[in-house]
Amino acid sequence: MQISDRELQKVMQLGSIRLTEPVEEEIVSPRETDGPLIKALVQEVMEMPDREDRIEELRAKIQAGTYNPAGEEIADAMWRRAQVDRIR
């Protein structure tokens, strides 16, 4: 799933999440009080549309050989994905 800046900001605001590097020795586990928030976020993500139109647009560009994202775009998408993966 592609994560937009808007989606990342929304998740961060809902969960009061800080974008800091984790300490290697630190074991991160959700607080008991985070259960309702986690359930609400999971439900919201599950209800998001698959964006079939965007998938088809990208598929057509790839097949036509016209999909050439810049390295900066790829790095940005990877960073957003990493931030979301850290809060799962």
Side-chain angles (χ1 to χ4, degrees), residues 5-54:
D5 288 333
R6 182 181 58 80
E7 292 164 333
L8 178 59
Q9 291 301 322
K10 185 176 180 180
V11 169
M12 289 170 50
Q13 288 171 355
L14 288 173
S16 301
I17 295 164
R18 295 177 297 145
L19 293 180
T20 58
E21 291 298 319
V23 177
E24 289 204 22
E25 297 142 16
E26 181 180 348
I27 298 175
V28 180
S29 63
R31 296 177 299 231
E32 288 181 29
T33 57
D34 289 343
L37 173 62
I38 292 169
K39 287 180 182 178
L41 289 173
V42 168
Q43 183 64 33
E44 189 172 329
V45 169
M46 296 302 290
E47 291 173 359
M48 287 180 178
D50 287 335
R51 299 177 60 187
E52 291 295 326
D53 56 333
R54 178 72 171 138

